[in-house]
Amino acid sequence: DFNIPIPWDKIRGEKTILTARDCLARDYLRSGKSAEDIACLLGFSDASVFRKAFKKWTGMTPGEFRLASGTAA
């Protein structure tokens, strides 16, 4: 299940955390999880903050990423 807590306090370095969040976000989006669920799982305060961060990392919104990866609902 996707309720596995991520030990952010054990992950060292800002770049490592951003890379982990980016990779997990992409995997979660491909699996069909909502932006709200992903935001919660990755420790964002809400879905809008997650969406802005994802766009900064990838140049795409989560919805655009889903379309590009062929996983849009």
Side-chain angles (χ1 to χ4, degrees), residues 43-73:
F44 288 94
S45 57
D46 61 48
S48 67
V49 175
F50 162 67
R51 287 183 186 101
K52 287 176 189 172
F54 190 84
K55 175 128 183 166
K56 183 177 178 182
W57 301 333
T58 65
M60 294 184 274
T61 66
E64 291 167 341
F65 176 82
R66 285 184 207 264
L67 287 171
S69 65
T71 56

Side-chain angles (χ1 to χ4, degrees), residues 3-71:
N3 291 320
I4 300 168
I6 297 170
W8 295 116
D9 58 326
K10 304 258 189 267
I11 299 173
R12 302 282 184 235
E14 183 178 346
K15 185 174 181 179
T16 302
I17 291 171
L18 291 176
T19 301
R21 280 179 153 182
D22 179 26
C23 290
L24 287 168
R26 290 170 190 250
D27 287 345
Y28 289 149
L29 286 166
R30 285 186 199 105
S31 74
K33 291 186 183 8
S34 70
E36 290 76 15
D37 286 344
I38 297 169
C40 182
L41 288 166
L42 298 183
F44 288 94
S45 57
D46 61 48
S48 67
V49 175
F50 162 67
R51 287 183 186 101
K52 287 176 189 172
F54 190 84
K55 175 128 183 166
K56 183 177 178 182
W57 301 333
T58 65
M60 294 184 274
T61 66
E64 291 167 341
F65 176 82
R66 285 184 207 264
L67 287 171
S69 65
T71 56

